[in-house]
Amino acid sequence: MASLAATEPAACPGATPAAESIVPACMFAPDRGCADDLSGADDFEDGEGTNGESADHLHLSNKLVLVSPSGEQYDSLFRHLREQIDEGCGETIYVVGMGSDGGDYGLDEKDMEASVATVRSLCEQIEADLILLRERTDTGGRIRDYLIRRRVGEQDFLEVRVAVVGNVDAGKSTLLGVLTHGELDNGRGFARQKLFRHKHEMESGRTSSVGNDILGFDQEGQVVNKPDSHGGGLDWTKICEKSSKVITFIDLAGHEKYLKTTVFGMTGHLPDFCMLMVGSNAGIVGMTKEHLGLALALNVPVFVVVTKIDMCPANILQETLKLLQRLLKSPGCRKIPVLVQNTDDVIVTASNFSSERMCPIFQISNVTGENMDLLKMFLNLLSSRTNFNNDEPAEFQIDDTYSVPGVGTVVSGTTLRGMIRLNDTLLLGPDPLGTFIPIAVKSIHRKRMPVKEVRGGQTASFALKKIKRSSIRKGMVMVSPKLMPQATWEFEAEILVLHHPTTISPRYQAMVHCGSIRQTATILTMNKDCLRTGDKAAVHFRFIKTPEYLHCDHKLVFREGRTKAVGTITKLLQAVNTQAAKAQQAKLLASKKTFREGSAANEEAASAARPPSPNAAQLPVGNQTPNLTTFKTEEEALCKDGNKENKLKSGGGGRRRGGQRHRGKGLNAATISTAVPAGAAGTA
């Protein structure tokens, strides 16, 4: 694969002039023209683009342009490199010694040194680091691949989120334990013990919650995770301070009964990439196809990791790989599987991976550590898929809530767009009535490290002022007041039914997952009488419990038992009337206040009507009466406390049945204060 990338010139019938890829799209996907070029493919370009329409790109096509560029050429190279870095969200792969004018590839020693010096000066101007990835020889001399990564401040780092999915017992948590803690597994669950959050997970060895683990890389691409020598834990703050890039692994559950949690992890945590784990000895079984289908439905690029190759016989491993390649090439996936066996393959696949067409396959062992370096190198070269504009109004989706002693209510989630700073006031909502309330951000943490601001695409935790945890739920958002947000009860969506045992008709209810929203919705109407497996339709939904904050073009997953459907929101209907909701809220508060005041007045009246308890001076002289009166006073006190168990009973000690118990509970202060005759002191 790598040799093809190195020697194949970018020529293909029907190619657009802007397609600058050394690895043409038509080589991988004959059914798609080169016009749909791989989005990350121009990362191979070394700045010498072949854009025939633009005059300042014409003279950059030669491999020698970097040796001694003129002022105009230098400015053009600088502009081109800056565009590439912006496209790659802060990093790009840059090839020196490979022109796109059809000449021989490679430079001699002297020209290579001069070219590298030019690239280094360009990087200094952009404030980026130049890291050598590999050097290879071609007909004209040597070619070098460099990773250029923009420098970030000490309190900042590039962040890439990777969701880890696969069938139960595929080795997901074990692989993450080995990657993040740097210690190999013993084959009996040693590595995964450090990752589990619950006691039942440790006992069964199965993940049941969404776990988060981080892997930090420094400017040189070296792993910075160093576990604590005593407890074996990781200090996230130190890792983030030393890292220029942090990979966040979202560890999801493989068992079928935890599918709801896995779907929430894939939709709510917004992963950039998906790592599909396959046990080489078990093959493609259970939930593997379900999870792959979910990733494809959400348009998340997938790479496959085949584990346990140390214990798997060679013929079974080959069978698993053959089945895997057949599955990835099938009409439903239309991926190009690439077995990664050396660093050349890693660089080629990482450069073209964002295209969603290429699917690298790694074969690793958590016990022997085989091919683990290739996987780490690949993770280091992955760049975030989405660019975010910091000038847009801020929007943050909540996917978890906590109550921290001494801090108060804390929410965690993902910044979808814009920038949020310390002490900003945002609107939190929607509540059950569909209203949004202003809330101040008290403190911000990213990966347990305190920061002053977060940008679009970054995950963070906010401490909020003056709000209870019980009034916040997953699926709520925090948005800038400029957006003037409105909650929605009903929406229309184009859905595709992936699987359903019978037929879906109006009034059918199922769980809708959209971002971090999880709520049951009813189908009101649809443009077909009924839906079966494989059908597409425009469907009108209504939420059951509370209105939600939605956007058009958001992906949704529709799930109920074994039924699964995916779709896109096309239209929002029946937004909540904010003024009416606020008036209703004020009315509720007023009625509560009136009720409280009324109950307080009743209590005061009852206490005023109650006669004072008799004192010693008022009691008649005698042996029996004082005892009876004291007895009565004690009984009154017990009744006032409402303690059913301690009330004196007439017929000996047995437990009271329902009617008597409720009668006892219903005694109010006025009844209790009624005088009891002395002879009736024994009957309650």
Side-chain angles (χ1 to χ4, degrees):
M1 179 57 70
S3 59
L4 277 169
T7 56
E8 182 78 12
C12 172
T16 55
E20 301 173 12
S21 172
I22 298 302
V23 184
C26 52
M27 187 179 88
F28 291 115
D31 51 338
R32 286 173 67 190
C34 274
D36 291 341
D37 202 356
L38 304 172
S39 60
D42 57 355
D43 287 356
F44 273 114
E45 194 55 73
D46 62 340
E48 308 103 329
T50 56
N51 189 339
E53 296 167 16
S54 170
D56 66 339
H57 279 274
L58 277 173
H59 53 275
L60 302 181
S61 60
N62 197 311
K63 65 184 180 182
L64 298 170
V65 72
L66 286 165
V67 177
S68 54
S70 64
E72 191 184 336
Q73 287 172 328
Y74 188 86
D75 290 345
S76 300
L77 287 167
F78 176 73
R79 269 200 307 278
H80 193 69
L81 178 60
R82 193 169 56 196
E83 282 167 19
Q84 278 185 279
I85 287 180
D86 288 340
E87 269 178 41
C89 298
E91 57 188 18
T92 185
I93 293 176
Y94 201 85
V95 185
V96 177
M98 190 186 286
S100 50
D101 57 353
D104 289 340
Y105 295 153
L107 293 170
D108 59 30
E109 185 76 34
K110 193 177 173 188
D111 288 346
M112 178 59 76
E113 282 181 17
S115 298
V116 170
T118 306
V119 176
R120 192 164 274 123
S121 73
L122 288 168
C123 290
E124 285 303 321
Q125 279 201 298
I126 297 174
E127 294 186 347
D129 288 304
L130 191 68
I131 304 133
L132 178 64
L133 293 177
R134 64 169 173 168
E135 187 172 351
R136 60 192 194 276
T137 309
D138 211 300
T139 49
R142 291 188 299 165
I143 301 169
R144 287 185 187 174
D145 293 64
Y146 284 95
L147 173 67
I148 297 176
R149 181 175 288 164
R150 188 175 279 148
R151 292 186 197 120
V152 289
E154 198 172 295
Q155 297 294 310
D156 201 4
F157 48 85
L158 302 173
E159 185 180 352
V160 176
R161 288 184 293 282
V162 178
V164 185
V165 296
N167 192 46
V168 66
D169 300 333
K172 298 182 291 296
S173 300
T174 301
L175 174 63
L176 296 192
V178 171
L179 282 173
T180 56
H181 287 75
E183 287 182 72
L184 293 174
D185 190 41
N186 63 355
R188 290 186 297 281
F190 168 72
R192 69 185 179 201
Q193 290 297 323
K194 298 171 180 141
L195 268 58
F196 288 143
R197 299 168 65 183
H198 304 292
K199 188 168 178 280
H200 68 266
E201 291 181 335
M202 290 184 185
E203 288 165 358
S204 67
R206 288 178 178 169
T207 307
S208 65
S209 57
V210 178
N212 277 292
D213 306 287
I214 62 170
L215 180 65
F217 291 99
D218 61 13
Q219 296 287 11
E220 301 296 318
Q222 301 299 315
V223 175
V224 299
N225 288 38
K226 293 283 183 290
D228 183 8
S229 53
H230 300 295
L234 293 172
D235 188 338
W236 285 30
T237 310
K238 280 184 185 171
I239 292 170
C240 294
E241 281 172 359
K242 291 178 189 171
S243 301
S244 65
K245 181 177 202 168
V246 171
I247 307 287
T248 304
F249 292 109
I250 305 158
D251 188 13
L252 301 175
H255 201 281
E256 188 172 4
K257 70 177 178 182
Y258 303 125
L259 180 64
K260 181 178 89 166
T261 307
T262 304
V263 174
F264 176 71
M266 286 290 286
T267 56
H269 289 256
L270 299 177
D272 293 301
F273 304 101
C274 179
M275 179 158 76
L276 179 69
M277 308 282 292
V278 177
S280 58
N281 54 344
I284 298 161
V285 290
M287 300 298 289
T288 308
K289 288 182 182 176
E290 294 268 2
H291 291 164
L292 177 60
L294 182 61
L296 293 170
L298 296 168
N299 290 341
V300 180
V302 179
F303 63 98
V304 182
V305 176
V306 179
T307 57
K308 307 184 186 181
I309 61 168
D310 56 295
M311 64 176 279
C312 183
N315 60 326
I316 304 290
L317 177 61
Q318 287 307 312
E319 193 65 33
T320 301
L321 290 174
K322 207 178 287 180
L323 278 170
L324 187 58
Q325 287 178 324
R326 195 184 302 158
L327 174 67
L328 292 170
K329 286 178 180 174
S330 65
C333 293
R334 294 176 66 241
K335 298 268 186 194
I336 303 118
V338 182
L339 275 173
V340 176
Q341 292 168 327
N342 52 43
T343 52
D344 289 355
D345 293 348
V346 172
I347 292 164
V348 171
T349 51
S351 305
N352 295 287
F353 186 47
S354 294
S355 67
E356 297 179 26
R357 289 303 307 272
M358 190 179 275
C359 180
I361 301 172
F362 294 86
Q363 305 166 65
I364 61 136
S365 166
N366 292 317
V367 175
T368 62
E370 190 178 341
N371 291 338
M372 202 64 77
D373 291 342
L374 296 179
L375 183 58
K376 284 180 185 173
M377 184 180 181
F378 180 76
L379 290 167
N380 179 41
L381 295 180
L382 287 180
S383 56
S384 182
R385 287 189 306 143
T386 41
N387 271 316
F388 294 92
N389 186 359
N390 294 332
D391 302 329
E392 292 178 351
E395 188 177 332
F396 178 87
Q397 76 173 21
I398 295 168
D399 55 43
D400 221 339
T401 61
Y402 310 92
S403 188
V404 180
V407 176
T409 305
V410 173
V411 297
S412 71
T414 312
T415 316
L416 299 178
R417 59 181 62 81
M419 187 182 281
I420 300 172
R421 295 184 177 85
L422 212 58
N423 298 320
D424 275 5
T425 300
L426 301 170
L427 295 176
L428 172 72
D431 61 9
L433 292 172
T435 56
F436 289 77
I437 55 166
I439 196 98
V441 177
K442 195 161 60 172
S443 72
I444 306 175
H445 280 67
R446 277 186 73 199
K447 304 280 175 269
R448 305 178 193 170
M449 182 170 77
V451 293
K452 292 192 172 129
E453 62 185 28
V454 285
R455 297 186 188 85
Q458 298 177 347
T459 52
S461 302
F462 298 152
L464 304 179
K465 292 178 182 173
K466 296 174 185 170
I467 191 159
K468 288 180 182 174
R469 183 191 173 191
S470 57
S471 59
I472 302 175
R473 59 185 170 79
K474 293 177 186 180
M476 287 173 95
V477 291
M478 291 168 64
V479 295
S480 165
K482 291 179 192 170
L483 284 171
M484 297 174 66
Q486 279 199 316
T488 310
W489 275 108
E490 297 176 15
F491 63 94
E492 272 183 17
E494 283 276 351
I495 69 162
L496 165 67
V497 182
L498 300 176
H499 176 74
H500 185 62
T502 56
T503 58
I504 295 174
S505 51
R507 293 210 298 274
Y508 179 80
Q509 293 186 352
M511 180 74 76
V512 168
H513 292 261
C514 179
S516 60
I517 294 165
R518 282 195 297 190
Q519 198 186 143
T520 305
T522 308
I523 294 178
L524 297 181
T525 57
M526 52 192 187
N527 62 357
K528 290 187 179 178
D529 292 336
C530 60
L531 295 177
R532 293 182 174 85
T533 302
D535 286 358
K536 265 188 178 179
V539 180
H540 182 174
F541 289 99
R542 179 179 173 85
F543 286 119
I544 292 285
K545 195 177 176 192
T546 55
E548 300 284 6
Y549 181 69
L550 296 169
H551 287 291
C552 282
D553 299 327
H554 266 199
K555 294 271 179 192
L556 65 87
V557 177
F558 184 63
R559 182 188 63 77
E560 191 261 331
R562 300 194 73 84
T563 301
K564 285 170 202 72
V566 294
T568 311
I569 295 172
T570 53
K571 193 176 176 185
L572 302 180
L573 308 159
Q574 199 189 344
V576 172
N577 186 341
T578 318
Q579 297 298 326
K582 280 183 180 170
Q584 194 178 345
Q585 205 169 20
K587 198 173 173 184
L588 277 170
L589 286 170
S591 62
K592 275 184 187 174
K593 197 175 176 185
T594 314
F595 176 74
R596 280 183 197 145
E597 284 170 0
S599 59
N602 287 345
E603 278 177 22
E604 281 172 23
S607 59
R610 190 181 298 129
S613 55
N615 55 28
Q618 295 168 323
L619 291 176
V621 180
N623 290 330
Q624 298 300 323
T625 320
N627 291 341
L628 283 172
T629 315
T630 312
F631 193 77
K632 185 174 73 175
T633 313
E634 282 174 10
E635 184 189 291
E636 282 181 13
L638 286 170
C639 287
K640 266 185 256 173
D641 290 341
N643 189 339
K644 299 189 292 287
E645 297 299 319
N646 292 338
K647 283 181 190 172
L648 296 165
K649 305 172 185 68
S650 54
R655 237 184 113 178
R656 283 194 167 190
R657 297 290 168 195
Q660 290 172 310
R661 190 187 305 139
H662 292 309
R663 201 183 307 143
K665 200 185 277 187
L667 288 173
N668 58 21
T671 314
I672 292 164
S673 62
T674 309
V676 181
T683 57

